[in-house]
Amino acid sequence: MNPFTIGIEEEYQIIDVESRDLVSHVSKILEGGGPILGENLRHEMHESMIEMKTGICDNIKSARVELTQLRKHLIHTAHAQGLRVSGGGTHPFSHWASNTINQGERYMKILDDMGDVARENLIFGLHVHITIPSREEGIRIQNSLRHFLPYIYALSTNSPFWIGRYTGFKSYRQEVFAKFPRTGIPSYFSSLAEFDKYVNFLIEVGAIDNATKIWWDMRLHPFYPTLEFRICDMPLRIEETICIAAIIQCLVAKITFLNQHHQELKSYRKLLLNENKWRASKSGIEAELIDFEKKRTLPFTDLLAQLLEFINETAIELDCKEEIEYAWEIIKNGTGADRQLRIYNETGDLKKVVDYMISETEYGII
């Protein structure tokens, strides 16, 4: 079995057919999809969201097959209930105050801790898990891979609207999530012991009950032998999800190889990395990102070319060359945010934007 196995989690919007607004009908999706989708579906804090997850996939091609079948079943389930599901990091016009909160104990505790910060967190993401050789190696990979998080993020940007307004961002989702504690790009940790000391301290003082309350853009998962990547907006087309997951898998495998051959990449301070994350959030693939080594800015497309070259041999070994090259289709067609804005500029109608998001989520599936 490939040591860098993949798990993908997608958070979908549940949409009313008539109003095109979010609707708190997660129970209908769970009940309707249960016989086929079973444990692949679960609710989240807001009842207008449904999370769908794959099992452990040996490679990106098997992940694509499973994700396609799951998405097809989810879409048909929604249709049968008179609903629709959609990708997108935010809904273009739904207001968070109108969406029902799940009454589960975990979510009530978060709500009690954070109040309207939690209620307002009506955002939808893509999470990718990649198996790692060990927790010790996971920290070393995390340290090096932080540099590439804004690159991955730029490709996923898909939340330009928030409660009926164009925000001026290609990804406003991250700006909403930043109100939570313990978010953003993780800091550098010199060892697993230092990381565990940090987590245990937070637990000891009562700040968290376990490490799942650490919501970084990438984290060493507390229960699974994986690195979990949480920075991405939820894409629209399934090809976008698969492309991003393949790039992440290749980066983990490549950095593991370099670390094991004593060729660790240079680590940059979180303060610097945040500069590129901000640029990616604001402008997506149109951003100019900072090349820290050469102390200059470059168009994202130049840095993407460097990234794909960096992981090229790994992609060949993992048989996902075609999947990572789809990044150039994203550049050609625009990210989900670019395409949402294109529809809005043509129609001036956010409901038409939602229609487009639904159709793109269903593209190639039904």
Side-chain angles (χ1 to χ4, degrees), residues 1 64 92 116 132 134 164 231 262-263 271 273 318 350 366:
M1 176 179 281
R64 182 193 177 94
D116 274 3
I132 50 177
S134 66
I231 194 170
H262 308 291
Q263 301 174 34
L271 289 171
L273 300 175
L318 294 176
L350 287 176
I366 63 171

Side-chain angles (χ1 to χ4, degrees), residues 38-94:
E39 294 183 356
N40 297 105
L41 291 182
R42 72 177 185 184
H43 54 67
E44 281 289 345
M45 172 173 284
H46 291 87
E47 296 206 341
S48 51
M49 176 191 295
I50 185 77
E51 182 183 271
M52 186 177 73
K53 59 181 180 178
T54 68
I56 300 171
C57 302
D58 185 49
N59 54 59
I60 200 64
K61 288 178 170 52
S62 62
R64 182 193 177 94
V65 169
E66 181 173 352
L67 197 62
T68 300
Q69 288 302 311
L70 289 173
R71 189 180 283 208
K72 181 183 294 185
H73 288 313
L74 177 61
I75 290 168
H76 283 307
T77 297
H79 279 237
Q81 300 295 331
L83 302 167
R84 297 293 184 268
V85 291
S86 175
T90 56
H91 186 277
F93 60 84
S94 193

Side-chain angles (χ1 to χ4, degrees), residues 62-193:
S62 62
R64 182 193 177 94
V65 169
E66 181 173 352
L67 197 62
T68 300
Q69 288 302 311
L70 289 173
R71 189 180 283 208
K72 181 183 294 185
H73 288 313
L74 177 61
I75 290 168
H76 283 307
T77 297
H79 279 237
Q81 300 295 331
L83 302 167
R84 297 293 184 268
V85 291
S86 175
T90 56
H91 186 277
F93 60 84
S94 193
H95 198 292
W96 55 268
S98 303
N99 284 260
T100 305
I101 300 293
N102 186 291
Q103 297 297 302
E105 182 180 353
R106 179 173 186 267
Y107 302 117
M108 289 296 98
K109 177 66 167 62
I110 293 174
L111 198 63
D112 184 59
D113 287 344
M114 288 188 271
D116 274 3
V117 166
R119 289 187 182 91
E120 189 179 349
N121 197 53
L122 187 59
I123 55 175
F124 305 80
L126 165 68
H127 300 167
V128 178
H129 290 257
I130 306 296
T131 300
I132 50 177
S134 66
R135 295 183 74 242
E136 290 83 359
E137 187 62 31
I139 287 295
R140 296 175 67 199
I141 299 167
Q142 178 174 284
N143 285 337
S144 295
L145 216 153
R146 298 176 313 139
H147 175 78
F148 297 102
L149 287 175
Y151 299 21
I152 298 165
Y153 178 30
L155 284 171
S156 81
T157 48
N158 196 20
S159 50
F161 299 104
W162 181 246
I163 56 177
R165 291 176 54 83
Y166 170 50
T167 62
F169 287 77
K170 295 296 179 69
S171 175
Y172 196 66
R173 167 181 160 269
Q174 281 284 340
E175 306 312 310
V176 175
F177 194 45
K179 296 177 183 178
F180 266 50
R182 300 174 295 280
T183 58
I185 294 175
S187 296
Y188 177 93
F189 289 94
S190 62
S191 65
L192 176 64

Side-chain angles (χ1 to χ4, degrees), residues 214-336:
I214 295 172
W215 292 292
W216 294 331
D217 295 334
M218 167 181 59
R219 67 181 182 186
L220 188 64
H221 198 278
F223 304 133
Y224 307 135
T226 66
L227 269 181
E228 181 186 11
F229 294 78
R230 305 169 52 85
I231 194 170
C232 294
D233 284 0
M234 172 63 191
L236 296 176
R237 292 193 179 191
I238 199 166
E239 288 85 359
E240 295 168 298
T241 290
I242 293 300
C243 171
I244 291 166
I247 290 172
I248 290 171
Q249 183 198 33
C250 287
L251 279 169
V252 172
K254 175 74 173 188
I255 290 171
T256 300
F257 174 84
L258 293 176
N259 288 348
Q260 291 173 346
H261 289 79
H262 308 291
Q263 301 174 34
E264 292 187 34
L265 299 179
K266 182 176 180 179
S267 289
Y268 295 94
R269 296 184 66 187
K270 179 179 175 180
L271 289 171
L272 292 176
L273 300 175
N274 279 338
E275 293 294 326
N276 272 348
K277 182 181 175 183
W278 168 262
R279 289 165 177 254
S281 181
K282 188 73 173 60
S283 304
I285 58 175
E286 296 178 341
E288 292 224 343
L289 300 185
I290 303 168
D291 182 327
F292 299 116
E293 188 68 28
K294 297 182 179 178
K295 298 181 181 179
R296 62 177 181 174
T297 61
L298 290 172
F300 173 73
T301 50
D302 289 4
L303 293 169
L304 176 63
Q306 293 177 21
L307 168 61
L308 296 184
E309 177 62 27
F310 175 67
I311 60 175
N312 181 61
E313 290 184 11
T314 307
I316 294 170
E317 292 171 4
L318 294 176
D319 193 20
C320 62
K321 175 82 168 168
E322 179 182 353
E323 286 79 7
I324 69 165
E325 290 293 332
Y326 187 82
W328 295 118
E329 288 297 310
I330 297 176
I331 298 298
K332 175 183 174 182
N333 299 320
T335 67

